[in-house]
């Protein structure tokens, strides 16, 4: 499936108009950029560390030294680059912004289009294990009636979409861009799925073009799916033990893990200098979240995700110099009111809640038309990497109910 290299547009029926150009794309990083990374890693200026060396103050020195050494001497970017380049990739310009995306058409003639959206600190790399099962379920031992034409864009300011060049790229503007992207691809009706920021963009897409959206499926959902303020006594009394545990995780997150959010929501440009200049800084900034947000949250992030795939995700930030522009989406959402109460959506919405997710149905129903809800006892924030079988199964089942 991954090796099929169709000429783009041969069977999509897309309608072109002036300025709609879609350009084939392959990732081809200059060797000089990789050599520069290796040199920087070799000459890292390491900080001191207090006794103990656990994760309570951040990434432990010993762990990060070992991981950075593996990144420099054991990790093979060219191998990862080739794996990603098996999938058809393109770029197009929407609303003045370059948009990079994967587009993998299913061999099944009745496949439904599906746009998948990642979040932070994710990238299109998150979806590598779910593309083929979604696009060609027959080859994966599934029902061909569950097939999708898969579209996976890089958020503006992330990865090979490159930095944003003007203010205002909040999740609402991204959703408008996705609607235009799907129009250019000739898809009149389609599903939307996403986690983290993707769980904001996908429902918003349903609010912007509700007549085109078959359904919205989310994981790692927060805004619009959790209480943003104090919970009143009536709601609290009605919560199940599982939901109370999710509320407690939300409260703990706000007190113990919200620092990155505050920095990126208020001073993304300042953060950009450190992360763009220091690969170890960029590595630590992202790897801490893989440790904190995966399940099981064991001694190492690699307990939950593949080490090479995690480093490839880091590379998408490092090689494209998008540490600052990816942080800008936090600033834009905070300063343009995108976190404000959401307009209720009538689009059928499904929620997959993995072991460390925090969504609570009674709050999600206040701004979403919840018709599907799944709870899983494994997997976490990066579900497509941690539990791809569960995520694929839930996406298939949700949209099967709507076809």
């Amino acid at each position: 499936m991954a090796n099929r290299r169709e000429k783009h547009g041969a069977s999509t029926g897309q309608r072109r108009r002036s300025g709609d150009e879609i350009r084939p794309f392959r990732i081809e990083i200059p060797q000089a950029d990789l050599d520069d990374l290796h040199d920087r890693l070799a000459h890292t200026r390491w900080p001191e560390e207090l006794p103990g060396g656990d994760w309570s103050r951040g990434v432990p020195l010993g762990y990060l030294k070992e991981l950075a050494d593996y990144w420099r001497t054991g990790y093979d970017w060219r191998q990862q680059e080739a794996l990603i380049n098996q999938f058809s990739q393109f770029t197009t310009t929407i609303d003045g912004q370059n948009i990079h995306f994967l587009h993998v058409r299913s061999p099944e003639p009745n496949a439904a289009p599906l746009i998948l959206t990642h979040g932070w600190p994710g990238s299109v790399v998150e979806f590598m294990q779910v593309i083929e099962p979604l696009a060609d379920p027959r080859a994966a031992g599934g029902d061909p009636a569950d097939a999708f034409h898969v579209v996976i864009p890089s958020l503006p300011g992330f990865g090979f979409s490159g930095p944003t060049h003007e203010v205002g790229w909040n999740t609402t503007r991204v959703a408008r861009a996705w609607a235009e992207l799907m129009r250019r691809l000739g898809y009149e009706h389609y599903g939307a799925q996403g986690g983290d920021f993707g769980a904001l963009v996908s429902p918003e897409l349903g609010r912007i073009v509700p007549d085109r959206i078959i359904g919205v499926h989310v994981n790692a959902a927060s805004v619009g799916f959790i209480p943003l303020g104090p919970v009143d006594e009536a709601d609290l009394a009605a919560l199940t033990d599982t939901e109370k545990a999710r509320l407690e995780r939300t409260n703990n997150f706000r007190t113990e893990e919200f620092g990155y959010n505050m920095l990126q929501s208020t001073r993304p440009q300042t953060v950009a200098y450190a992360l763009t200049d220091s690969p170890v800084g960029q590595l630590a900034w992202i790897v801490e979240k893989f440790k904190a947000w995966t399940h099981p949250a064991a001694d190492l992030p690699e307990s939950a995700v593949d080490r090479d795939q995690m480093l490839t995700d880091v590379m998408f930030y490092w090689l494209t110099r998008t540490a600052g522009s990816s942080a800008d989406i936090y600033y834009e959402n905070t300063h343009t009111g995108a976190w404000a109460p959401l307009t209720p959506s009538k689009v059928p919405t499904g929620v997959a809640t993995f072991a460390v997710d925090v969504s609570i149905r009674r709050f999600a129903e206040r701004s979403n038309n919840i018709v599907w809800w799944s709870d899983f006892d494994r997997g976490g924030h990066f579900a497509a990497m941690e539990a791809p079988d569960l995520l694929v199964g839930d996406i298939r089942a949700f949209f099967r109910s709507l076809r």
Side-chain angles (χ1 to χ4, degrees):
M1 176 65 195
N3 290 317
R4 296 171 70 249
R5 301 289 295 174
E6 295 183 315
K7 180 179 178 182
H8 183 70
S11 57
T12 62
Q14 64 228 52
R15 296 164 296 180
R16 297 289 182 85
R17 61 188 183 190
S18 178
D20 284 7
E21 181 186 7
I22 294 175
R23 305 170 290 273
F25 179 83
R26 284 178 62 83
I27 303 172
E28 296 176 332
I29 298 300
Q31 186 59 41
D33 289 358
L34 302 181
D35 293 341
D36 174 69
L37 169 61
H38 292 170
D39 289 345
R40 288 171 183 264
L41 289 170
H43 296 93
T44 299
R45 186 181 178 203
W46 294 99
E48 294 298 319
E49 181 180 56
L50 289 172
D54 62 19
W55 289 81
S56 62
R57 294 175 181 268
V59 185
L61 179 61
Y63 170 76
L64 199 62
K65 279 187 173 182
E66 189 277 327
L67 184 60
D69 183 67
Y70 174 77
W71 192 12
R72 184 175 67 86
T73 63
Y75 170 80
D76 186 348
W77 164 257
R78 292 302 184 199
Q79 181 184 57
Q80 299 298 313
E81 185 180 64
L83 289 173
I84 299 165
N85 281 336
Q86 291 181 86
F87 299 106
S88 300
Q89 299 170 74
F90 306 88
T91 61
T92 191
T93 302
I94 300 177
D95 195 10
Q97 172 65 34
N98 181 64
I99 301 295
H100 162 256
F101 64 98
L102 283 67
H103 185 199
V104 179
R105 287 187 56 82
S106 173
E108 304 296 340
N110 295 321
L114 178 66
I115 185 167
L116 301 165
T117 306
H118 65 84
W120 184 95
S123 66
V124 299
V125 173
E126 286 185 60
F127 298 109
M128 292 297 104
Q129 297 175 71
V130 305
I131 294 173
E132 291 188 330
L134 288 173
D136 193 359
R138 187 194 302 268
D143 186 343
D146 289 330
F148 297 95
H149 299 306
V150 180
V151 179
I152 310 177
S154 296
L155 286 168
F158 288 67
F160 292 96
S161 284
T164 47
H165 299 291
E166 61 182 20
V167 301
W169 276 102
N170 62 12
T171 49
T172 300
R173 188 171 177 182
V174 173
R176 292 194 184 102
W178 281 193
E180 171 60 15
L181 174 62
M182 296 303 273
R183 185 202 67 79
R184 291 185 188 184
L185 294 175
Y187 293 135
E188 294 188 0
H189 297 95
Y190 49 91
Q193 199 284 330
D196 190 81
F197 273 113
L200 275 166
V201 172
S202 299
E204 191 63 18
L205 189 56
R207 293 181 176 94
I208 290 171
V209 285
D211 57 324
R212 294 184 176 273
I213 304 302
I214 301 167
V216 170
H217 183 278
V218 298
N219 65 285
S222 56
V223 177
F225 298 84
I226 62 172
L228 291 183
V231 177
D232 65 37
E233 291 299 323
D235 280 331
L236 192 59
L239 297 181
T240 66
D241 289 343
T242 297
E243 290 171 334
K244 288 177 181 176
R246 291 174 185 167
L247 183 60
E248 181 59 30
R249 282 200 297 274
T250 299
N251 293 334
N252 181 72
F253 176 85
R254 288 171 176 155
T255 58
E256 293 294 326
E257 295 188 38
F258 207 60
Y260 81 96
N261 192 308
M262 290 298 295
L263 285 171
Q264 297 192 153
S265 295
T266 58
R267 297 296 184 269
Q269 186 62 34
T270 301
V271 172
Y273 297 116
L275 304 187
T276 304
D277 189 59
S278 168
V280 165
Q282 180 70 90
L283 180 65
W285 195 245
I286 290 178
V287 165
E288 181 196 330
K289 303 313 173 192
F290 274 92
K291 169 62 171 66
W293 298 349
T294 52
H295 181 269
D299 291 340
L300 300 175
E302 295 93 313
S303 301
V305 297
D306 178 77
R307 173 178 272 202
D308 283 355
Q309 193 177 17
M310 181 173 66
L311 287 172
T312 301
D313 181 68
V314 174
M315 289 288 272
F316 263 57
Y317 289 81
W318 174 258
L319 294 171
T320 59
R321 304 187 185 192
T322 51
S325 56
S326 64
D328 278 329
I329 195 168
Y330 286 86
Y331 185 97
E332 298 295 348
N333 269 23
T334 299
H335 290 80
T336 58
W339 302 131
L342 301 170
T343 302
S345 171
K346 296 182 179 179
V347 173
T349 299
V351 180
T353 304
F354 291 85
V356 297
D357 286 342
V358 294
S359 301
I360 298 175
R361 184 162 186 161
R362 66 175 47 248
F363 299 108
E365 288 176 336
R366 294 175 183 178
S367 56
N368 302 279
N369 177 21
I370 304 296
V371 300
W372 183 276
W373 192 281
S374 299
D375 293 308
F376 298 105
D377 60 5
R378 63 181 173 93
H381 187 86
F382 304 95
M385 299 169 76
E386 299 176 64
D389 58 328
L390 296 182
L391 183 62
V392 168
D394 206 63
I395 292 171
R396 287 175 178 171
F398 168 67
F399 283 102
R400 188 185 307 137
S401 71
L402 302 175
R403 296 198 196 205

